[in-house]
Structures are given as C-alpha cells and as structure tokens.
Amino acid sequence: MGFLEDFQASVEALPAMLHRNYSLMRELDKSLQGVQTENEQRCQQEIEDIKHGLESGRITYDPAKLKFSDEAIEEQKHCVRIADEKVALASQTYDLVDAHIQQLDQFMRKLEDLRQEKEAATTAAATAATSTPVAATVVPSAGTSTADITPKSGRSGERGRGGRKKTAKVPTEQPAPAIDLELPVDPNEPTYCLCNQVSYGEMVACDNSDCKIEWFHFGCVGLREQPKGKWYCPSCIGFQKKRKGK
C-alpha cells in the first residue's frame, strides 16, 4: 500500500521538522529580546541627551526636530522584521501539522472503505454459500454392492439361471437435508434497522425521538460515515417534511 508507506515516512519526519521550527523560533526570540534591550537603552540615552540640551540651552525646543536618531528607528524596524519572521514561522508550523492531520483523515477514510469492501465480500460469499444447493450423495445400504446400484448398459434384459430376469436394485434417493449456515441468534436479543437484524458494525441513530426503530446499520440506509448534524431515517424523514410544511 504505497499511500501507507508515504504517510508513515511523512509522519516519521514530522518531529524533526517541528523541532527545527521551534529551535528557529527560540533563536528569533533571543535575537528580538537583544535588539529590544539595545533599542530601549539607546532611546533612553537620547531622551536624556535631549533633556540636558534643552536645560543648557544648546538645543532650541522644536517639536519637528526633537526625534530619535536614525539608528534607534532602524533598530525598531529590525524588531518588527524579526516579529514578522516569527509569525511566518508559526504559520508554517501550523500548516505543517494541519496537513498531516488531513492526511491522517484521508488514510482513515481509505481504511474504512477497505473494511466495508471486505465486509461486503464476506457477506456475499456467505449468501452464495447458503443459496448453493448441496449435491445428494447416494450411500449404498448394508448388503448392497455398487454393481447392484448402477445397472450395466445393455444387460437389463439378460436372464439368469432359472429363466428369471436379473433386476438391478436401485434404492430410492432421498433429498439431502438443507444445510443451515446461519449462526444461532439469541431470541432475547433485540433487533434494529430496516432489516430487522441484531446490532453489528457501525450504526446510526434516528434523531426523531418517536422513531419506532431508532437504530440503523450504515449499509442498510446508504451511509459510509457518521452524518453531520441531525439525521432522520427513511420512515421519519417524510414525517419531518410534513411537520415543516404545516
């Protein structure tokens, strides 16, 4: 099964890829903290220099000129770039895990399809075995030879000693009894579904609280997976439509 091998190889490689992404995120965190610390110290120093300049009269108060240096602004932009890299790396990690979850869902659906196909083949084989007639076998009775059972061709009119005809003794074949291949069912076990059989395999419940049957086999109602939201059986869905139409 090629899909299984590919999925297994992809899952085995996932921990290493996640470890790499998390390591990069930790390194980005350390780098960001270092740049932020330097920027805070630079800005604090520049603020102190501006205050001293204003107090000493070296700097004229002009809001348009009172700003941080280009180095401080560049450090702030660098912090933003590092934060953007962290966000992109986190998104990549999320998409990586989400892709593996979708592959796992697809693999589970394929397994369910294979299980249903195998179950259908087993059911068909059991049905064919039940409906196939069993050939009757003639068992010679005590004191009767095979020659007595099967008359020889062209010698039925042959006379033996004493002038009497020899007649072949062919016993009457009795019909073979029918073979019951069905497993015994507990008469006290409750039955469900449209087929009126016992519970087996995957089943779905009708959301009509007054449903007389309540539980149904997936195959009997044409389902391959658990339905989403409310589900009504073929008998109750018409009743629900009538209620909505009133």
Side-chain angles (χ1 to χ4, degrees), residues 211-246:
C211 181
K212 297 181 180 179
I213 301 177
E214 188 178 1
W215 287 94
F216 299 84
H217 303 108
F218 272 24
C220 295
V221 292
L223 292 177
R224 301 184 66 179
E225 59 184 12
Q226 194 69 27
K228 298 179 179 179
K230 291 187 177 295
W231 180 86
Y232 297 94
C233 70
S235 301
C236 296
I237 192 170
F239 177 72
Q240 290 296 122
K241 290 181 178 179
K242 289 181 180 179
R243 292 183 60 182
K244 291 181 178 179
K246 291 183 179 180

Side-chain angles (χ1 to χ4, degrees), residues 75-90:
E75 286 177 350
Q76 292 175 0
K77 292 181 179 179
H78 186 49
C79 291
V80 174
R81 287 195 295 269
I82 293 176
D84 290 341
E85 289 181 17
K86 283 180 57 181
V87 172
L89 194 58

